[in-house]
Amino acid sequence: MKVYKDNNQSNGESYLVSRQTKPDDTVINVNGIKIGGKEIVIIAGPCAVESRKQLLETAKVVYSGGANILRGGAFKPRTSPYSFQGLGEEGLKYLSEARNETGLPIVTEVMDTRKMELVCKYTDIIQIGSRSMHNFPLLKEAGKCNKPVLFKRGLMGTIDEYLLAAEYILNEGNNQVILCERGIRTFETSTRNTLDLSAIPILKRRTHLPVIVDPSHATGHNWIVPAMAKAAIAAGADGIMIEVHHKPLDALSDGPQSLYPDNFAQLVKDVEKIAIAVGRSIYHNIQSPA
Ligand code: PEP
Ligand code: MN
């Protein structure tokens, strides 16, 4: 499709994130998994790494359900300082053990510049969370790392602000950035946030970066997640990130939005049908779990 100058957008066309600067799609290769190519990539796992047992069990069920990349937070940005904050380095160790067991690459959040080196030591993809979208020192540090960055849109960030924030990462020399729409805050209270589906075609048009969608944080309810995951793929997303827990009722964070293992496996099957309908396919893991 011809890319033309969009005069409605305030973003200059000379930015590093812009399609005018780089017309071809950026495809990010994570241990052979290509994010931003023809195949839809599925990231799944618990909100937080809670224990070795919980993580390994969830990792196995997401692997067998069709996930390509394992997610799990070791440092959690909780609304209340009294809520479970994550296991820190212990959690990173369990993530790396789960990677060894399943073969799935891992993605985990870094919240603090002082932990960047530590998180990079363990993870395959660095996650920058919604609350950190405006943490420019953190973005610059991520830009200096030699790891792909899954960069989430701030819950109050406009698309222009989001792209300028992404520019901070690219400007430091790291162009391996995966954009992630995860819902924005609106007046609506039936969902945790409002999934901005329009952001998908807008980001795909204005940037060359892969775009994924997190319907878990966008909706806050596990029963809405499958519908929004399918909508995201239909709208042109390159992947989805889904929270799954082997026992959602026992989860220490985000249980209500976490899918049960069998719902996740069904979701992957349904997403595959949508992917095919829009001329794409889903990435199938080659390696068997150990
Ligand atoms: C997460 O994905 O673990 C998370 C905390 O999401 P967000 O930053 O989008 O709230
Ligand atoms: Mn969560």
Side-chain angles (χ1 to χ4, degrees):
M1 193 196 298
K2 193 171 185 300
V3 176
Y4 56 89
K5 198 167 170 163
D6 190 344
N7 291 323
N8 275 336
Q9 309 299 342
S10 57
N11 247 15
E13 270 69 32
S14 58
Y15 287 112
L16 296 171
V17 297
S18 167
R19 222 182 244 291
Q20 266 69 37
T21 306
K22 180 177 181 288
D24 297 342
D25 287 339
T26 290
V27 178
I28 298 174
N29 191 327
V30 184
N31 304 355
I33 299 167
K34 296 189 181 81
I35 308 176
K38 189 177 178 229
E39 291 169 316
I40 303 297
V41 171
I42 295 168
I43 304 172
C47 178
V49 180
E50 299 168 6
S51 67
R52 182 174 179 273
K53 183 171 183 293
Q54 169 255 8
L55 185 70
L56 294 180
E57 285 196 18
T58 307
K60 277 182 199 147
V61 299
V62 298
Y63 178 89
S64 50
N68 314 119
I69 296 172
L70 175 67
R71 64 148 286 143
F75 296 97
K76 293 305 303 175
R78 303 307 299 280
T79 302
S80 164
Y82 308 117
S83 302
F84 175 62
Q85 302 285 311
L87 297 177
E89 185 168 8
E90 188 187 343
L92 297 173
K93 287 183 179 156
Y94 299 150
L95 281 164
S96 91
E97 192 178 341
R99 171 182 43 211
N100 294 343
E101 291 226 348
T102 59
L104 297 176
I106 55 182
V107 55
T108 196
E109 178 165 353
V110 60
M111 292 164 55
D112 184 333
T113 50
R114 291 167 298 185
K115 296 281 190 252
M116 184 64 79
E117 210 180 314
L118 176 75
V119 174
C120 278
K121 197 171 96 187
Y122 288 94
T123 198
D124 299 295
I125 305 174
I126 304 162
Q127 180 170 322
I128 305 268
S130 188
R131 287 157 196 81
S132 300
M133 190 193 96
H134 291 294
N135 185 342
F136 301 127
L138 185 67
L139 302 182
K140 286 188 193 170
E141 282 305 305
K144 289 178 195 145
C145 286
N146 193 20
K147 296 264 162 129
V149 180
L150 194 169
F151 180 43
K152 300 185 92 173
R153 180 178 179 186
L155 57 161
M156 298 291 281
T158 66
I159 289 177
D160 278 346
E161 288 164 345
Y162 183 34
L163 292 182
L164 284 169
E167 193 74 15
Y168 273 90
I169 306 174
L170 275 83
N171 194 37
E172 295 295 330
N174 188 350
N175 56 8
Q176 306 225 91
V177 174
I178 303 152
L179 299 174
C180 179
E181 162 60 37
R182 48 76 74 206
I184 50 175
R185 184 161 282 183
T186 69
F187 54 80
E188 183 52 66
T189 54
S190 301
T191 45
R192 184 174 177 183
N193 293 287
T194 297
L195 180 60
D196 183 6
L197 282 172
S198 314
I200 304 162
I202 295 170
L203 293 172
K204 292 296 293 180
R205 176 191 174 104
R206 290 182 57 192
T207 83
H208 50 84
L209 300 169
V211 176
I212 69 160
V213 168
D214 167 357
S216 306
H217 292 91
T219 64
H221 302 284
N222 55 12
W223 62 273
I224 314 180
V225 169
M228 291 298 98
K230 287 181 276 184
I233 299 307
D238 299 302
I240 45 173
M241 179 154 85
I242 309 286
E243 283 188 344
V244 180
H245 197 285
H246 72 301
K247 288 181 185 166
L249 295 177
D250 296 340
L252 295 182
S253 73
D254 288 349
Q257 69 193 35
S258 300
L259 293 193
Y260 285 84
D262 52 346
N263 300 137
F264 172 68
Q266 184 60 47
L267 167 70
V268 174
K269 291 194 181 104
D270 294 344
V271 159
E272 182 161 29
K273 289 185 201 145
I274 304 288
I276 291 165
V278 294
R280 300 181 78 167
S281 51
I282 62 168
Y283 183 86
H284 289 283
N285 295 324
I286 305 155
Q287 195 188 336
S288 302

